[in-house]
Amino acid sequence: MRKIFLYCWLLSWASCLFAQQYDLVIEGGRVIDPERKLDAVRNVGIEDGRIARISKAPLKGRRVVVAAGLVVAPGFIDLHQHGQDQTSQRVKAFDGVTTALEMEIGAPDVTPFLKSKEGHSLIHYGTTASHLAARALVFGTPLPDGTILPKSGPATDEPASTEQIEKIQQRLREQLDAGALGIGMGIQYAPGATRLEVIDMFRVAAERKLPVYTHMRSAGRVEPGSAIEALEEVIGASAITGAPLHIVHINSTCLRDSLECLSLIEGARAHGLDVTTEAYPYIAGMTAINSALFNPGWREKLGIDYGNLVLPDTGEHLSKERFDELHNSNKQQWVLVFANTQETVDQLIPNPLIMIASDGAEGHPRNAGTYSRVLAQYVREKKSLTLMEALRKMTLMPAQMLERSTPAAKKKGRVQEGADADLVLFDAQSIADRSTFEKPMETSVGVRYLLVGGTVLIDDGKMVSDVYPGKAIVGPESGGRGR
Ligand SMILES: [Zn+2]
């Protein structure tokens, strides 16, 4: 009996020793965790895709990454990413992003979206349920494959009947059942949607206690139909229904009135409403030229002219004739929209209410450069943001937003024991974007290592081939698929 006891004691002592050997140890990096405000040199032990240990004492690992001189931060979480293929995921990874979600508009059909990416994704992915796609389907003109925005026409410009609204709601409920993280509403792309239709969609989100992400009904200053009015509409719908509200790209909707829009959001929050927002650090937007965003009146609304529209592939500035041709075409063509000022963008990015989100897709430099650009321009050059605050906007804030959709988000956006090992290791002195309007897919520099769920995706500055560690992030109705 005593022998057995001694044997067991020896065995547990030995296993205790071996347990200290982690899958991977990140040694001596400057660990920054925006939730606990930790900014200190630490060793990080990773086991089974999770952060198992954060310690001042040395740790043993089967692999050790020497991180002296590098920042060790949570991987960036992009709530607003349209380019969901591997080409875009690759440039996102070099920009420090470990999770990129299609939340503004939403994938047209959640089940095939999630299925197509399973085992083929470099970084984590997920989507909202698309109001626009549901509306197009109910109007009998489903979106063509590979598109997320409908062409301007009856499905965008006409009001829906009561029966049609009920069918759209039903479709959205099915999409939520399939794992959507909320409802995406590009209201400006369906100007025929009445105020009541918008409220009825918020009601579906509220039933499930899920958020609505919205590109608001209109941009600019012209009344009626100003950005301020559009913001009142969705804040009202959120207040009426109780659905949390996230306003996407406040910079490109509110333009010169962005700070006014922020003060409206501040007021709503001060009175207990759950309203959040985001911005990207560029003066131009990009959208589909045949969409309802360019219905008559767009020049007055945005305060721009044909020449402010530029084709990303060729750099061609449009004329009226060329615009008419492309707007009336069935072919979906992206166009860059130069409508904002650097001054507005520079005022917005440091504001504490602003999360960083890219609105990325191929053709615009924000796809590849958003996060590095904020770290280079606002933290290092202008010094209008601290590194801690910039990282909060890229990690903790979006993770907290996602917690409204899934408890799995509590393990993201943090460098803490028990958190998912989604980590970016970068050089704060040299991190920078290289993508431009002429060369929008140039990868950023400065990210030395990127870990997605504990798997090394960028290793000493190079992409590891044939690893696909990205997992689905799904809503609560999907029966626990993904994580
Ligand atoms: Zn948008």
Side-chain angles (χ1 to χ4, degrees), residues 451-470:
L451 273 67
V452 179
T455 299
V456 180
L457 183 65
I458 293 177
D459 194 343
D460 200 15
K462 291 187 188 69
M463 178 75 70
V464 178
S465 52
D466 294 327
V467 293
Y468 300 98

Side-chain angles (χ1 to χ4, degrees), residues 80 104 189 215 248-249 359:
H80 190 159
E104 176 196 29
Y189 297 103
H215 171 135
V248 305
H249 58 42
D359 196 359

Side-chain angles (χ1 to χ4, degrees), residues 20-98:
Q20 289 185 350
Q21 176 99 340
Y22 296 100
D23 290 341
L24 178 75
V25 165
I26 299 168
E27 195 173 83
R30 178 183 170 191
V31 172
I32 300 188
D33 177 56
E35 187 166 58
R36 291 177 305 154
K37 297 278 183 286
L38 174 73
D39 181 350
V41 172
R42 291 284 186 274
N43 304 303
V44 179
I46 291 162
E47 190 73 31
D48 291 334
R50 293 271 162 85
I51 298 171
R53 188 92 177 96
I54 299 174
S55 164
K56 286 183 194 171
L59 301 175
K60 280 190 196 166
R62 279 181 278 283
R63 181 177 174 195
V64 175
V65 166
V66 178
L70 298 177
V71 170
V72 180
F76 307 149
I77 299 172
D78 192 346
L79 294 177
H80 190 159
Q81 172 65 18
H82 300 303
Q84 287 284 334
D85 57 349
Q86 285 174 11
T87 314
S88 282
Q89 288 190 332
R90 180 177 175 276
V91 296
K92 307 295 293 183
F94 279 105
D95 206 31
V97 175
T98 51

Side-chain angles (χ1 to χ4, degrees), residues 96 202 211:
F202 273 70

